Amino acid sequence: MNILDVADKLTYFSSELNSITNLMGINLAYSDISKSNELERITFLTEYTKQLAFELANLSKDITNDIRSVKHE
């Protein structure tokens, strides 16, 4: 597997994580869970997943940009 394949997979996984967090957010919006520890944990996991997706997307962009700059040198 070459580095561009890795970057593509990172982008794919980032997109999947974003989709999961969107579904979690929708479920939380319609949930009957009152403000409790469980809701706080689920909200934390949702935010953490969003952050991971964001960082994966940035890593993928950095890898792709680095490869492009090396090819143009």
Side-chain angles (χ1 to χ4, degrees), residues 3-63:
I3 198 75
L4 286 175
D5 291 335
V6 172
D8 286 343
K9 283 194 178 283
L10 287 171
T11 300
Y12 171 77
F13 292 138
S14 171
S15 176
E16 289 297 302
L17 281 172
N18 275 324
S19 295
I20 291 167
T21 57
N22 287 336
L23 289 173
M24 290 169 66
I26 290 168
N27 286 330
L28 282 173
Y30 292 106
S31 175
D32 286 348
I33 301 174
S34 63
K35 268 292 193 195
S36 66
N37 287 341
E38 189 64 27
L39 181 58
E40 289 174 14
R41 281 187 221 118
I42 293 170
T43 302
F44 167 78
L45 288 173
T46 302
E47 292 302 315
Y48 182 63
T49 306
K50 284 181 189 178
Q51 181 63 33
L52 287 176
F54 178 76
E55 290 180 22
L56 280 172
N58 283 342
L59 179 59
S60 176
K61 288 177 192 172
D62 288 345
I63 290 170

